Each structure stands twice: as C-alpha cells, then as structure tokens.
Amino acid sequence: MLIFIAKRLTVAIPTLLVLIVLSFVLMHAAPGGPFTQERALPPEVLANIEAKYGLDQPLWRQIGTYLINVTTQFDFGPSFIYKDRTVNEIIANGFPITLTYGGISFVVAVLAGCTLGALAGVYQNTWLDYLAVGISIGAQVLPNFVMAPILVLIFTLWLGWLPGGGWQGGQWQYLIMPVIALSTSFMASIARITRSSMLEVLNSNHIRTARAKGLPIRQIILRHALKPAMLPVISYLGPAFVTMITGSVVVDFFFNTGGIGLSFVNAALNRDYAVMMGVTILVGALTILFNLIVDILYAWIDPKIRY
C-alpha cells in the first residue's frame, strides 16, 4: 500500500506544478489586464504600477518568481484590486465559510444519497423504490441556482422561518438553506449511482450463494453487498467533495455568505490575477488530494487495484 501511495504522490506533485504554469500562462494570454479600465491610465502611471507588481518582467521570470514564493513561503502575493488585502487574507476569510457549509452539505448528500440509493436497490420495483427515485429525480432537476431562490421565497418571504442571507458566524439558522441548496443535486447523483451499483451487486454470483446458504438479508446487505456497491460511489465523492467545499457562486450570491466562490468570480471579472491564481491552486491542490484519497480508499476496498 505504501508503494501505491508513493506512486500516486509522484504523479500528484508534477500535476500541480503543471496546473500552476498553465493557469499563469492562460491568464496572461487573455487580452487586457487588471489595470486596464474603461478610462485608460496614462502610460507613465501604468508602467509604474506594472513595475510595482512585477508585470513588466518577462513571463518566464514572473512564473519563476511566483513558483518560488508559493513553494517556499506559501505566499500568493497581494491582490491587484483590493489594495489593502493579500490573497492569503482573502482565502483565509472566505475558505472557512465555504468549508463549513460545504462539509455539512457533503455529509448530508452522502448520507441521504447512499440511504436512498441502497433502499431503492434492495427494494426494487416497490413503493420505496419509486419514492426514492422520485426524490432523486426531483432533486436532480432543481440545481442550486433554481433551489436557492425557491428556498428564499418559501422559507423567508412566505413563512418567515429562516433569514434570507448572511452568515453570523455560521449559526444553524443561517446554514439550513445554503446546505439544502448545495446538497440536493449531489444527493440525487449519489442516490442514482448507489442504486445502479446495488442492483448490479445484488445480481452477482456471491450474493446468490449467500442467499442460498440462508443468510439473513440484513447480513447479506451489510457484509457482502454494500462494500462492493460503494466502489462507483467513492470514485464520484472525490470531485464532488472538492466542488462543495471550494464554494458555490450561487450559494454565496443568493445567501450572501461571504464565501470564496463569489471572490473567485469577482477576481475573474476584474482580472485580478493573484486572486484567480490563489483560488485555482487551492482548488487544484484539493482536487489532487481528494483524488489521491479516493484512490487509496479504492485500493483498500478492492486490493486488485494495488496490482
């Protein structure tokens, strides 16, 4: 197992470095810049600003300096738009918020999705199967940009039960609607994958043998069917977890949580290279990390993967 993990790490680190270089090149290749506005700055002023931030240097030197700062000091540099804030401060302020509601959304999506999918697979073609499939389809056709305004309309404007936005330190009443809006579509996908995998496993030979031996259905499901049925689900959970904990622009916009998702979009619109690079590296590193974790879990569940 250690050799398997070492091989994955030798691929992960160069992948992250290539991601940084490509992102840096693509952002600088796009026309315009962070200081290009509708009202053009005088050439002398623009030259001084670019010299201050090192944008007047050759691209290869900018990349080298950035890589050294990131790898040695974990410093993403100053924001080009928010003069009094660094990228590290922007990420430190926004990421814990998205990590909180994203992590809770992930747990809710996994528990609800796996439960619905497993029940639908075990009790195929019964009312429980139809109910689980109906809930999954309903959640799938209501993505978060549709679910969020519906939740605000019902629970805030009509019923007045929950606040329509804000964070207030992550109090529970401010968490409910963001978690529901973010987790429903992922829950539906997990339920669908779990149901299909469970149906396939329940029709396999080793399950038939277990039933022929007279084992209780509960023991068959928990000890013989659930573990192999989770393999396709686990491969989906890695990217899904990264997507949820790195922020949702829709959730940040509709509920005004102050998360990192909206900061990334604002940075892209304002051509704030430093913030875009910082968030891109964060998302890329988390994606590689959790794909590594998924690979390890996959190899632990199915030892054939190691070889």
PDB file of all heavy atoms in Angstrom, residues 178-192:
ATOM      1  N   PRO A 178     -28.448  27.294   2.733  1.00  0.00           N
ATOM      2  CA  PRO A 178     -27.277  27.008   1.895  1.00  0.00           C
ATOM      3  C   PRO A 178     -26.960  25.527   1.788  1.00  0.00           C
ATOM      4  O   PRO A 178     -26.588  25.041   0.703  1.00  0.00           O
ATOM      5  CB  PRO A 178     -26.146  27.772   2.610  1.00  0.00           C
ATOM      6  CG  PRO A 178     -26.823  28.885   3.301  1.00  0.00           C
ATOM      7  CD  PRO A 178     -28.138  28.322   3.749  1.00  0.00           C
ATOM      8  N   VAL A 179     -27.099  24.780   2.882  1.00  0.00           N
ATOM      9  CA  VAL A 179     -26.816  23.349   2.841  1.00  0.00           C
ATOM     10  C   VAL A 179     -27.818  22.622   1.946  1.00  0.00           C
ATOM     11  O   VAL A 179     -27.443  21.766   1.132  1.00  0.00           O
ATOM     12  CB  VAL A 179     -26.835  22.766   4.276  1.00  0.00           C
ATOM     13  CG1 VAL A 179     -26.857  21.245   4.236  1.00  0.00           C
ATOM     14  CG2 VAL A 179     -25.628  23.264   5.059  1.00  0.00           C
ATOM     15  N   ILE A 180     -29.099  22.960   2.063  1.00  0.00           N
ATOM     16  CA  ILE A 180     -30.114  22.320   1.214  1.00  0.00           C
ATOM     17  C   ILE A 180     -29.865  22.648  -0.258  1.00  0.00           C
ATOM     18  O   ILE A 180     -29.901  21.763  -1.127  1.00  0.00           O
ATOM     19  CB  ILE A 180     -31.527  22.755   1.637  1.00  0.00           C
ATOM     20  CG1 ILE A 180     -31.846  22.253   3.041  1.00  0.00           C
ATOM     21  CG2 ILE A 180     -32.572  22.245   0.651  1.00  0.00           C
ATOM     22  CD1 ILE A 180     -33.173  22.753   3.579  1.00  0.00           C
ATOM     23  N   ALA A 181     -29.602  23.912  -0.552  1.00  0.00           N
ATOM     24  CA  ALA A 181     -29.398  24.322  -1.944  1.00  0.00           C
ATOM     25  C   ALA A 181     -28.181  23.652  -2.557  1.00  0.00           C
ATOM     26  O   ALA A 181     -28.185  23.311  -3.752  1.00  0.00           O
ATOM     27  CB  ALA A 181     -29.248  25.844  -2.018  1.00  0.00           C
ATOM     28  N   LEU A 182     -27.135  23.442  -1.768  1.00  0.00           N
ATOM     29  CA  LEU A 182     -25.897  22.885  -2.315  1.00  0.00           C
ATOM     30  C   LEU A 182     -25.909  21.365  -2.369  1.00  0.00           C
ATOM     31  O   LEU A 182     -25.291  20.769  -3.251  1.00  0.00           O
ATOM     32  CB  LEU A 182     -24.712  23.365  -1.467  1.00  0.00           C
ATOM     33  CG  LEU A 182     -23.309  23.024  -1.970  1.00  0.00           C
ATOM     34  CD1 LEU A 182     -23.082  23.581  -3.369  1.00  0.00           C
ATOM     35  CD2 LEU A 182     -22.257  23.560  -1.016  1.00  0.00           C
ATOM     36  N   SER A 183     -26.613  20.719  -1.460  1.00  0.00           N
ATOM     37  CA  SER A 183     -26.505  19.260  -1.346  1.00  0.00           C
ATOM     38  C   SER A 183     -27.512  18.494  -2.185  1.00  0.00           C
ATOM     39  O   SER A 183     -27.289  17.301  -2.462  1.00  0.00           O
ATOM     40  CB  SER A 183     -26.678  18.853   0.124  1.00  0.00           C
ATOM     41  OG  SER A 183     -27.961  19.199   0.604  1.00  0.00           O
ATOM     42  N   THR A 184     -28.616  19.106  -2.597  1.00  0.00           N
ATOM     43  CA  THR A 184     -29.692  18.327  -3.220  1.00  0.00           C
ATOM     44  C   THR A 184     -29.266  17.666  -4.531  1.00  0.00           C
ATOM     45  O   THR A 184     -29.519  16.473  -4.743  1.00  0.00           O
ATOM     46  CB  THR A 184     -30.910  19.229  -3.476  1.00  0.00           C
ATOM     47  OG1 THR A 184     -30.484  20.454  -4.087  1.00  0.00           O
ATOM     48  CG2 THR A 184     -31.646  19.525  -2.194  1.00  0.00           C
ATOM     49  N   SER A 185     -28.625  18.415  -5.422  1.00  0.00           N
ATOM     50  CA  SER A 185     -28.253  17.826  -6.708  1.00  0.00           C
ATOM     51  C   SER A 185     -27.193  16.744  -6.541  1.00  0.00           C
ATOM     52  O   SER A 185     -27.223  15.713  -7.228  1.00  0.00           O
ATOM     53  CB  SER A 185     -27.766  18.916  -7.664  1.00  0.00           C
ATOM     54  OG  SER A 185     -26.648  19.599  -7.118  1.00  0.00           O
ATOM     55  N   PHE A 186     -26.248  16.944  -5.619  1.00  0.00           N
ATOM     56  CA  PHE A 186     -25.243  15.910  -5.362  1.00  0.00           C
ATOM     57  C   PHE A 186     -25.879  14.690  -4.724  1.00  0.00           C
ATOM     58  O   PHE A 186     -25.498  13.553  -5.023  1.00  0.00           O
ATOM     59  CB  PHE A 186     -24.143  16.468  -4.453  1.00  0.00           C
ATOM     60  CG  PHE A 186     -23.276  17.501  -5.118  1.00  0.00           C
ATOM     61  CD1 PHE A 186     -23.508  18.851  -4.929  1.00  0.00           C
ATOM     62  CD2 PHE A 186     -22.234  17.121  -5.942  1.00  0.00           C
ATOM     63  CE1 PHE A 186     -22.716  19.806  -5.535  1.00  0.00           C
ATOM     64  CE2 PHE A 186     -21.434  18.070  -6.559  1.00  0.00           C
ATOM     65  CZ  PHE A 186     -21.673  19.413  -6.357  1.00  0.00           C
ATOM     66  N   MET A 187     -26.837  14.899  -3.835  1.00  0.00           N
ATOM     67  CA  MET A 187     -27.546  13.784  -3.228  1.00  0.00           C
ATOM     68  C   MET A 187     -28.240  12.943  -4.293  1.00  0.00           C
ATOM     69  O   MET A 187     -28.214  11.706  -4.240  1.00  0.00           O
ATOM     70  CB  MET A 187     -28.573  14.308  -2.229  1.00  0.00           C
ATOM     71  CG  MET A 187     -29.419  13.235  -1.567  1.00  0.00           C
ATOM     72  SD  MET A 187     -31.007  13.857  -0.970  1.00  0.00           S
ATOM     73  CE  MET A 187     -31.846  14.208  -2.504  1.00  0.00           C
ATOM     74  N   ALA A 188     -28.843  13.599  -5.270  1.00  0.00           N
ATOM     75  CA  ALA A 188     -29.530  12.869  -6.330  1.00  0.00           C
ATOM     76  C   ALA A 188     -28.552  12.026  -7.146  1.00  0.00           C
ATOM     77  O   ALA A 188     -28.837  10.868  -7.478  1.00  0.00           O
ATOM     78  CB  ALA A 188     -30.262  13.862  -7.235  1.00  0.00           C
ATOM     79  N   SER A 189     -27.402  12.584  -7.483  1.00  0.00           N
ATOM     80  CA  SER A 189     -26.405  11.824  -8.245  1.00  0.00           C
ATOM     81  C   SER A 189     -25.888  10.632  -7.452  1.00  0.00           C
ATOM     82  O   SER A 189     -25.732   9.531  -7.989  1.00  0.00           O
ATOM     83  CB  SER A 189     -25.245  12.738  -8.636  1.00  0.00           C
ATOM     84  OG  SER A 189     -25.684  13.803  -9.442  1.00  0.00           O
ATOM     85  N   ILE A 190     -25.611  10.840  -6.167  1.00  0.00           N
ATOM     86  CA  ILE A 190     -25.127   9.741  -5.328  1.00  0.00           C
ATOM     87  C   ILE A 190     -26.186   8.646  -5.208  1.00  0.00           C
ATOM     88  O   ILE A 190     -25.876   7.450  -5.275  1.00  0.00           O
ATOM     89  CB  ILE A 190     -24.734  10.282  -3.939  1.00  0.00           C
ATOM     90  CG1 ILE A 190     -23.513  11.195  -4.060  1.00  0.00           C
ATOM     91  CG2 ILE A 190     -24.443   9.136  -2.975  1.00  0.00           C
ATOM     92  CD1 ILE A 190     -23.169  11.933  -2.779  1.00  0.00           C
ATOM     93  N   ALA A 191     -27.451   9.036  -5.039  1.00  0.00           N
ATOM     94  CA  ALA A 191     -28.529   8.049  -4.942  1.00  0.00           C
ATOM     95  C   ALA A 191     -28.657   7.243  -6.232  1.00  0.00           C
ATOM     96  O   ALA A 191     -28.843   6.023  -6.189  1.00  0.00           O
ATOM     97  CB  ALA A 191     -29.848   8.751  -4.624  1.00  0.00           C
ATOM     98  N   ARG A 192     -28.538   7.918  -7.352  1.00  0.00           N
ATOM     99  CA  ARG A 192     -28.658   7.227  -8.638  1.00  0.00           C
ATOM    100  C   ARG A 192     -27.513   6.234  -8.840  1.00  0.00           C
ATOM    101  O   ARG A 192     -27.733   5.092  -9.268  1.00  0.00           O
ATOM    102  CB  ARG A 192     -28.653   8.278  -9.750  1.00  0.00           C
ATOM    103  CG  ARG A 192     -29.214   7.833 -11.070  1.00  0.00           C
ATOM    104  CD  ARG A 192     -29.602   9.029 -11.934  1.00  0.00           C
ATOM    105  NE  ARG A 192     -28.753  10.180 -11.712  1.00  0.00           N
ATOM    106  CZ  ARG A 192     -27.563  10.366 -12.293  1.00  0.00           C
ATOM    107  NH1 ARG A 192     -27.078   9.442 -13.076  1.00  0.00           N
ATOM    108  NH2 ARG A 192     -26.871  11.477 -12.056  1.00  0.00           N
TER     109      ARG A 192
END
